[in-house]
Amino acid sequence: MLGLMSMGSNPVFPNISNYYNLSIISNLINTHKLQKSLTFKILYSQKNLNIVKIFKNINLIYKYSLIQKNNINYILINLNFFNTKKIGTNLKIISKPSKKVYISYTALRLLAKRTGRSIFLISTVNGIITHHEALKYKLSGIVIGFVTL
């Protein structure tokens, strides 16, 4: 038997299963913003909570809280609105499980200079972080997506 290693068990690259959670949550956020719905809830998991914390840090969502209903845990998400106008316009997914876009630290520095108010989400060995944090810690990784504010 060959000593093959999957991407998730490789210590250099992160687990790819975060993309599904990120794309589902981003689609829910974009859909509810179009519907001008102020709140919605998603099932609680540690991955979902980490993604929601990142969205809160970059002001894509207003706030979140943990609730329990019928012995099921949920994350209640409140969106940013000002006079019924949405704030934090787009979240685009770049990498998918079938196509991963890697970026080095030097390329990330160049990209950060050329993009104005966009925030890139980078999957690193430390988890999913923004490109500002990746530059601070001098990390490279997989570009998951970006948010245009």
Side-chain angles (χ1 to χ4, degrees):
M1 173 158 171
L2 295 175
L4 297 177
M5 197 179 324
S6 70
M7 195 68 168
S9 61
N10 190 340
V12 176
F13 296 108
N15 196 345
I16 304 301
S17 65
N18 289 332
Y19 296 129
Y20 295 115
N21 294 24
L22 183 71
S23 64
I24 289 170
I25 294 172
S26 65
N27 285 338
L28 284 171
I29 288 173
N30 289 335
T31 302
H32 284 278
K33 282 193 176 192
L34 288 175
Q35 295 173 354
K36 296 184 179 177
S37 170
L38 293 177
T39 62
F40 67 96
K41 63 183 177 182
I42 58 173
L43 284 174
Y44 172 83
S45 72
Q46 191 61 43
K47 287 181 186 179
N48 287 348
L49 185 61
N50 290 338
I51 292 169
V52 168
K53 284 180 182 179
I54 292 171
F55 288 165
K56 170 68 175 111
N57 288 341
I58 61 177
N59 291 326
L60 189 62
I61 62 173
Y62 175 64
K63 66 179 180 178
Y64 66 92
S65 57
L66 302 175
I67 60 172
Q68 186 175 24
K69 195 175 211 179
N70 299 332
N71 293 330
I72 300 174
N73 295 327
Y74 294 100
I75 303 172
L76 183 68
I77 298 174
N78 296 5
L79 299 176
N80 284 336
F81 279 95
F82 178 73
N83 291 338
T84 68
K85 295 193 180 184
K86 60 185 178 178
I87 301 173
T89 54
N90 285 340
L91 176 78
K92 301 281 185 186
I93 302 295
I94 296 175
S95 291
K96 298 177 179 128
S98 60
K99 182 181 178 186
K100 298 174 227 37
V101 178
Y102 299 95
I103 191 162
S104 66
Y105 171 70
T106 55
L108 188 59
R109 280 193 340 205
L110 292 173
L111 185 66
K113 289 179 183 177
R114 293 184 182 179
T115 57
R117 296 176 45 168
S118 295
I119 298 174
F120 290 88
L121 300 174
I122 311 291
S123 181
T124 65
V125 293
N126 295 346
I128 299 174
I129 58 176
T130 64
H131 76 278
H132 298 296
E133 294 170 351
L135 289 172
K136 179 180 170 183
Y137 298 121
K138 297 183 179 180
L139 295 173
S140 60
I142 302 172
V143 181
I144 296 176
F146 70 95
V147 177
T148 306
L149 300 175

